[in-house]
Amino acid sequence: MSYSEHHQAIRDMASRFSNTELAPLAHEIDKEARIPKEILRKLADNGFLGIFIPEAYGGAGMDYVSYALVVEELSRGCASTGVLVSAHASLATWPIMRFGTDEQKAKYLPKLASGEMIGCFCLSEPNAGSDAGALTTVAEDRGDHYVIRGVKNWITNGREAGLAIVFAKTRKTENHKGISAFIVETNSPGFSIIKVEDKLGIKGSSTAQLAFDDVKVPKANLLGQLEQGFKIALATLDGGRLGIASQALGIGEAAFRYAKSYAKERVQFGAPIADLQGIQFMLADMSTKLAAARLLILDGSLKKDQGKPYTKEGAQAKLFASEAAMWITTKAIQICGGNGYTKEYPVERHFRDAKITEIYEGTSEIQRLVIAALELKS
Ligand code: CAA
């Protein structure tokens, strides 16, 4: 697959960073279930936290194709770091760029680009996962401000976040119609972390349950139009899904590379196992799935950069890349055999990290619903 010189240079830069700064720490990040602060600083210094934020607001001013390449490369080195960047950029930064007022952009984008604030996206709740429109968090109008009350679940970056995009009902409705979006600073009184989840994979990335106990939010922090919050959430997730597809691709690529080099070195029956057709077929299918995922991500990202609709392409990229990552990491363990099942080898981590990509930012089943609905409409 050949990218433009510009995009190849960005990929090379992210790849070097991933190889030198992330991959050597990934095992420890997984074990300690925490990304060192130093890594956050280095991500910011290299422009990765503000990839597509315009330069006028302190960002790198790049396009979504570049962003997808960066998330892929970072995730190849460390999937936890990859999703920290992805959730921060596509779920918290992008909606401010797209729906924010000039004042909101001037106030928050420089802080998000520099890493002074890490962002998170608060849509899901204990009883509103796939059925996001069923959320029950409320935002009461109190004249010059709103008061937000509710609990949010499975929030990526919930532990680190200084800024949260919060979805709450400004009008009581049975469906999504009364939902509005808000920019909330997490140092506001009433905000707290109820718990940080202990997970199967992406252990360095925090996934938190957050409480909003009468959090006062200025009217100026309403994001977009009143009661347009659900559409803002879904439009944001369209781009987020390209980020998760890229994360899945990076995880799959890491597992593939490891399994390939292992197969060339591991000798059984007097020859490297890579000589066996059974192993070659697995490697061939891995390589093909990665190539297909890369094309789907590129297609969605290009459409997004060109201002064309990309909801279906984003869902297809995430669906395919995440299921490919799960398949590839399973086969990578198979190729590495007993060794692959131990924590001494990285493929068991890749396998655990891959699973979540089929779940967050819309399960594979939700992606299929989105794709089918758009196909049936056309
Ligand atoms: N962009 C903008 N608007 C959209 C849209 C899109 N991609 N898709 C639909 N809409 C609009 C519709 O036109 C409709 O508008 P009207 O009210 O004017 O009719 C409105 O949004 C509602 O659409 P639907 O009737 O299709 O909505 P629904 O309630 O049936 O739900 C769904 C559709 C696809 C199932 C949706 O709820 C969904 O995507 N669910 C999954 C939620 C999800 O991905 N959650 C992940 C949370 S984030 C996370 O996991 C990680 C983290 O860090 C927090």
Side-chain angles (χ1 to χ4, degrees), residues 87 91 121 123-124 129-133 153-156 176-177 230-231 234-235 237-238 241 311 360-362 366 369-370:
L91 295 187
F121 179 83
L123 177 67
S124 306
S130 290
D131 186 7
N153 256 42
W154 309 299
I155 308 304
T156 304
H176 62 271
K177 297 280 186 197
F230 196 60
K231 290 183 188 181
L234 293 186
L237 283 166
D238 285 344
R241 289 166 183 168
T311 300
Y360 58 17
E361 300 199 28
I366 289 293
L369 284 181
V370 170

Side-chain angles (χ1 to χ4, degrees), residues 219-336:
K219 279 253 163 102
N221 281 29
L222 174 72
L223 180 63
Q225 300 292 309
L226 191 69
E227 295 179 7
Q228 292 300 305
F230 196 60
K231 290 183 188 181
I232 293 173
L234 293 186
T236 301
L237 283 166
D238 285 344
R241 289 166 183 168
L242 287 167
I244 299 307
S246 306
Q247 185 205 18
L249 176 58
I251 297 168
E253 179 70 36
F256 170 62
R257 288 189 195 181
Y258 196 87
K260 189 168 62 167
S261 64
Y262 183 92
K264 287 202 258 185
E265 281 169 20
R266 173 75 172 167
V267 173
Q268 290 291 279
F269 306 106
I273 61 170
D275 288 355
L276 301 169
Q277 205 175 46
I279 300 290
Q280 290 174 3
F281 281 6
M282 282 193 257
L283 293 172
D285 287 349
M286 287 172 165
S287 160
T288 306
K289 283 176 195 284
L290 291 169
R294 198 163 273 122
L295 285 170
L296 285 172
I297 294 167
L298 181 63
D299 182 38
S301 304
L302 279 173
K303 288 203 166 91
K304 183 167 169 61
D305 285 334
Q306 291 162 356
K308 294 180 181 159
Y310 65 97
T311 300
K312 185 177 79 178
E313 289 75 4
Q316 286 175 329
K318 181 183 183 288
L319 172 64
F320 187 85
S322 61
E323 294 194 345
M326 204 58 237
W327 190 89
I328 290 165
T329 55
T330 306
K331 295 298 179 197
I333 294 184
Q334 196 64 24
I335 290 173
C336 298

Side-chain angles (χ1 to χ4, degrees), residues 10 93 145 155 167 169 209 230 238 240 276 279 313 356:
I10 290 160
T93 303
H145 66 273
I155 308 304
F167 298 89
K169 282 196 171 158
Q209 187 178 50
F230 196 60
D238 285 344
L276 301 169
I279 300 290
E313 289 75 4
I356 189 62

